[in-house]
Amino acid sequence: MKKQTPLWLDESLYPFSHRYIDLPSATMHYVDEGQGDVLLFVHGTPAWSFLYREQIKTLRTKYRCIAIDHIGFGLSDKPEKFDGTPQAHSANLALFVEKLGLTNITLVVHDFGGPIGLSFALAHPEKVRNLVILNTWLWKTSDNPDVQKVDKVVNSRLGKFIYLHTNFSPSILMKKAFHDKSKLTKAIHLHYTRPFPNKASRWGLLRLAQSLLGSSDWYEEQFNQLHKWQHKPALILWGTKDQFIKPAFLEKWKGALPQATVRTFDAGHFVQEEASKEVCNAIDSLIQQNQFSLAGNTFTGT
């Protein structure tokens, strides 16, 4: 399937071929660059594959870099009736991986992409070799006072109006998510706001926001299975200046995945934007180390 590239898309910033795949829910856009071991990038809200552009540009010289746009985001279809929960997005991810026949995946997840991608990894551990975790969560949110406040807003009449009629999430919240504001130039910010030009295109934003608390029990179900990953390679890359996903979340990850390598940065929520080179280098090192371990038969894969 071929679709017209939006006029607002700067191909010097995002110099990738556009690919599309039909899923039962809608048509999904993705990029697939390079050859070799698979790096699968999974975004959260209000992002899309554009978030990982610097990692793809750098790492495609050594690996096969694949980044999806969730249904309702980026250049994918935005059907109003799509469920839009993390559970639904995770089911789409599983179908996508199956259709492309992907194996030996290094899975890179961020924000809502954490529960979306990690639930897939836990259900299909034979397909995922490494985990890379950036500023996300995988446990119940219903007991978090900050989440409770957000939930009241996004489920109110005013909150729904703001999300659907003002493009609040990419226009306002994204600015607050950056520690180094200079990294969010006008040109870059435009590429986060333009995928959502009107009310009809913003239902995905609202439904994920409502799922922050609404999917709490499901997050906890996934977290209770995380022990399955405690003997497999994991890398945690964390922006310590994140106003939304705070340092206490990092401590919980350290306890849940004690074997993980942890690197922290003086960055906000979008570490991929504020520390792009460092993120690239850390992912490359993880894969290289694991390849060496596999060659030496020291990785059990259990």
Side-chain angles (χ1 to χ4, degrees):
M1 175 181 293
K2 188 172 183 180
K3 292 190 176 185
Q4 185 174 1
T5 302
L7 295 177
W8 52 261
L9 184 62
D10 184 343
E11 294 185 348
S12 68
L13 290 175
Y14 187 82
F16 312 126
S17 298
H18 302 287
R19 301 175 186 269
Y20 295 89
I21 188 168
D22 289 327
L23 301 177
S25 55
T27 298
M28 175 182 281
H29 171 265
Y30 68 101
V31 298
D32 188 343
E33 300 278 323
Q35 297 180 345
D37 290 348
V38 174
L39 268 167
L40 179 57
F41 298 94
V42 185
H43 69 83
T45 186
W48 55 293
S49 54
F50 182 81
L51 174 65
Y52 293 107
R53 68 194 180 282
E54 296 301 331
Q55 287 73 51
I56 297 169
K57 287 183 209 176
T58 299
L59 296 170
R60 67 180 172 177
T61 60
K62 299 172 71 172
Y63 310 107
R64 182 182 177 188
C65 295
I66 301 174
I68 66 170
D69 294 348
H70 296 306
I71 301 301
F73 290 80
L75 305 185
S76 290
D77 285 351
K78 300 179 176 67
E80 180 180 338
K81 293 185 178 180
F82 175 59
D83 182 73
T85 61
Q87 300 94 305
H89 288 301
S90 187
N92 278 341
L93 179 63
L95 282 173
F96 175 84
V97 171
E98 180 182 354
K99 282 178 174 284
L100 267 65
L102 304 180
T103 58
N104 294 324
I105 298 167
T106 294
L107 185 66
V108 184
V109 301
H110 173 254
D111 188 81
F112 270 97
I116 291 167
L118 293 173
S119 65
F120 163 76
L122 291 168
H124 303 278
E126 75 285 355
K127 294 184 179 181
V128 181
R129 179 184 293 177
N130 306 304
L131 290 181
V132 181
I133 296 169
L134 301 95
N135 290 59
T136 186
W137 71 96
L138 191 69
W139 45 80
K140 66 179 179 180
T141 52
S142 56
D143 58 354
N144 185 310
D146 292 333
V147 172
Q148 292 169 3
K149 292 176 184 177
V150 170
D151 189 67
K152 286 182 180 179
V153 172
V154 297
N155 283 291
S156 69
R157 181 178 297 180
L158 176 60
K160 292 175 184 177
F161 180 89
I162 290 172
Y163 258 81
L164 295 176
H165 291 273
T166 72
N167 214 13
F168 177 71
S169 182
S171 295
I172 306 300
L173 289 182
M174 177 160 267
K175 289 181 180 180
K176 294 181 178 294
F178 276 71
H179 174 62
D180 183 352
K181 307 298 184 185
S182 70
K183 298 290 187 179
L184 186 64
T185 65
K186 288 184 179 180
I188 290 173
H189 195 198
L190 178 147
H191 284 76
Y192 288 112
T193 59
R194 286 295 178 89
F196 308 103
N198 51 41
K199 175 185 175 181
S201 65
R202 296 170 187 159
W203 287 98
L205 294 169
L206 176 63
R207 289 185 173 131
L208 268 190
Q210 291 173 331
S211 297
L212 184 58
L213 187 146
S215 295
S216 179
D217 290 345
W218 181 75
Y219 303 143
E220 187 71 5
E221 289 174 9
Q222 310 312 307
F223 184 71
N224 289 336
Q225 301 178 56
L226 199 57
H227 61 87
K228 298 176 183 178
W229 204 270
Q230 287 187 345
H231 301 289
K232 297 179 73 171
L235 171 67
I236 299 173
L237 305 175
W238 204 266
T240 59
K241 307 299 182 183
D242 191 337
Q243 294 188 36
F244 301 104
I245 299 181
K246 298 177 180 178
F249 285 59
L250 174 58
E251 296 308 310
K252 189 147 186 171
W253 279 118
K254 289 178 179 178
L257 296 174
Q259 86 286 8
T261 299
V262 179
R263 291 199 58 190
T264 59
F265 307 94
D266 288 330
H269 184 63
F270 294 100
V271 189
Q272 304 92 322
E273 294 278 10
E274 294 193 49
S276 59
K277 291 182 180 179
E278 294 85 349
V279 168
C280 290
N281 292 338
I283 293 173
D284 186 30
S285 294
L286 173 72
I287 297 173
Q288 294 297 321
Q289 289 170 6
N290 191 30
Q291 286 176 337
F292 178 79
S293 296
L294 285 168
N297 296 318
T298 60
F299 173 57
T300 64
T302 58

